[in-house]
Amino acid sequence: MILGIECTAHTFGVSVVNKGKILANIRDMYKTDKGGIIPIEASKHHTEIAEKLYGEALNVAGVKEEKIDAIALSNAPGLAPCLLAGMKFAKEKASGLKIPIVPVNHCIAHLEIGRSLGSKDPVLLYASGANTQIIAYAAGKYRVFGETLDIGVGNFIDKFARYTGLGFPGGPRIEELAKKGKYIELPYSIKGMDVSFSGMQTKLQQLFDQAISLADLAFSLQETAFAMLVESSERAMAHTGKKELVLGGGVACNSRLQEMCKIMCKERGAKFYCPENSLLTDNGAMIAYLGEIMFNSGIKQKAEEVDIRSRERTDDVQVKWRK
Ligand code: AMP
Ligand code: MG
């Protein structure tokens, strides 16, 4: 029985997983009326809400806390104050229950949860607010085959939405507007396997100032930014010879991105896996799910040994749980 805690950024999540089955997946997101995340405020949110979500998760799972074998904690990467809040809570519980902690890398958890859907060895397109990476397993590690050179695709969309007065989070509103839009050419920027959004950002703002229809801009933003992500993912699949694609991250909730990935996979005879929305955005279930796999392969730490690793890279992690 593994209890998973997600705390790397805006979301605090608690989940209970047993033998790969998700028994509870509870979360609460820190939101702002205006502007982005203030890390210290988000960490206060986590601390305030932790005990309540912990109780709820155990309740929903129908499990007594004495039955928990280990706590899986998203100790990396993320915003340091948020990670610290989560770690403090995890340590209190682990010490009280005299159980170990399994430190889990958040980005890798996004990929591994895709494997719970039946995917064996996928390429992950991880498209979230702060992160945009194309990740796959090669030679003992999860390697980053492509990534953004400037900002994450979600932050890029949110920034443009904020500029136009749409508010946060911008992704769902842009998706809605895009349904009525038509195509305008925008800067398409792939360098090797990496993508960059700042040129498109500037162009979009200029066009908006020239009173170009917001629906057309929203449509063209999606077509252009998502095509870049799909191109890089496809090249990673071709390069590694992998025949599966998994989506992860909040932007992956976008139906147009899902559709484009589906078409690409179909055209190259690959399989496409898209977790449900509650597993795409940040959640404790993916942490508990991977935590259980790691725990079963012998990876665990005493509470006092655990530390946060706010800048840990995906390929810093030695993947001992895969053959
Ligand atoms: P995450 O950082 O993974 O929690 O995801 C949050 C990001 O996902 C924010 O930047 C949102 O704007 C974005 N997002 C959520 N839903 C959608 C959507 N339907 N289309 C595009 N982006 C979205
Ligand atoms: Mg995430």
Side-chain angles (χ1 to χ4, degrees):
M1 196 70 67
I2 304 291
L3 184 113
I5 294 177
E6 161 59 38
C7 61
T8 57
H10 43 61
T11 297
F12 192 81
V14 184
S15 167
V16 182
V17 162
N18 184 233
K19 298 196 177 73
K21 228 179 127 212
I22 299 162
L23 305 181
N25 186 19
I26 311 290
R27 76 177 111 190
D28 193 85
M29 189 179 162
Y30 157 84
K31 295 197 183 78
T32 59
D33 296 330
K34 253 174 84 183
I37 302 181
I38 303 159
I40 209 78
E41 294 299 323
S43 81
K44 277 187 208 152
H45 160 268
H46 293 359
T47 302
E48 279 163 20
I49 204 97
E51 193 66 48
K52 180 170 161 263
L53 296 198
Y54 176 80
E56 266 178 55
L58 290 173
N59 235 334
V60 169
V63 168
K64 291 211 165 45
E65 61 177 2
E66 301 78 47
K67 294 281 177 206
I68 304 168
D69 296 298
I71 293 182
L73 169 71
S74 63
N75 74 321
L79 302 169
C82 299
L83 293 168
L84 283 170
M87 181 175 74
K88 186 162 174 285
F89 184 74
K91 284 187 174 189
E92 274 166 25
K93 291 296 174 196
S95 305
L97 296 166
K98 299 191 174 52
I99 55 176
I101 291 179
V102 183
V104 173
N105 177 291
H106 173 96
C107 306
I108 294 178
H110 271 292
L111 184 143
E112 290 281 354
I113 195 67
R115 297 214 292 157
S116 76
L117 307 177
S119 153
K120 289 187 183 65
D121 186 20
V123 166
L124 168 73
L125 170 54
Y126 177 29
S128 76
N131 298 300
T132 299
Q133 295 187 329
I134 289 124
I135 301 171
Y137 183 78
K141 285 183 168 181
Y142 283 107
R143 316 235 173 222
V144 178
F145 283 84
E147 64 189 315
T148 178
L149 296 171
D150 38 45
I151 59 175
V153 61
N155 286 357
F156 153 70
I157 296 174
D158 293 338
K159 220 167 140 184
F160 176 62
R162 205 152 60 222
Y163 188 80
T164 65
L166 282 176
F168 176 84
R173 289 170 195 163
I174 292 286
E175 176 168 16
E176 219 22 64
L177 277 166
K179 289 180 182 150
K180 293 178 245 107
K182 58 179 191 314
Y183 183 72
I184 303 169
E185 193 169 328
L186 292 171
Y188 183 97
S189 178
I190 284 211
K191 295 168 185 170
M193 297 285 283
D194 295 329
V195 295
S196 119
F197 297 107
S198 51
M200 202 190 323
Q201 183 100 55
T202 307
K203 185 72 188 176
L204 280 166
Q205 294 184 356
Q206 286 169 353
L207 291 171
F208 179 76
D209 290 343
Q210 292 161 21
I212 303 293
S213 132
L214 189 50
D216 291 353
L217 295 178
F219 178 80
S220 309
L221 175 159
Q222 288 197 167
E223 294 305 303
T224 312
F226 296 166
M228 285 158 49
L229 299 178
V230 174
E231 179 187 332
S232 181
S233 305
E234 179 168 25
R235 262 202 262 142
M237 292 168 82
H239 176 71
T240 57
K242 296 193 195 289
K243 296 197 161 49
E244 298 166 334
L245 180 70
V246 163
L247 272 179
V251 180
C253 297
N254 187 290
S255 352
R256 180 58 183 146
L257 177 58
Q258 294 178 6
E259 186 185 17
M260 286 166 84
C261 290
K262 211 178 284 170
I263 294 168
M264 180 269 278
C265 286
K266 190 158 176 246
E267 284 179 353
R268 55 181 299 112
K271 279 193 181 153
F272 173 58
Y273 296 89
C274 186
E276 58 182 81
N277 283 3
S278 64
L279 299 176
L280 281 176
T281 51
D282 288 353
N283 64 89
M286 65 181 191
I287 305 301
Y289 180 83
L290 174 54
E292 184 179 45
I293 295 171
M294 292 170 70
F295 181 74
N296 287 338
S297 76
I299 301 169
K300 57 186 171 192
Q301 290 185 341
K302 291 191 188 118
E304 58 273 21
E305 290 169 354
V306 176
D307 205 352
I308 62 163
R309 295 174 55 95
S310 71
R311 290 176 174 275
E312 180 170 86
R313 297 263 317 165
T314 303
D315 52 14
D316 285 339
V317 179
Q318 205 68 47
V319 182
K320 294 184 193 132
W321 61 91
R322 274 185 71 153
K323 281 160 206 91

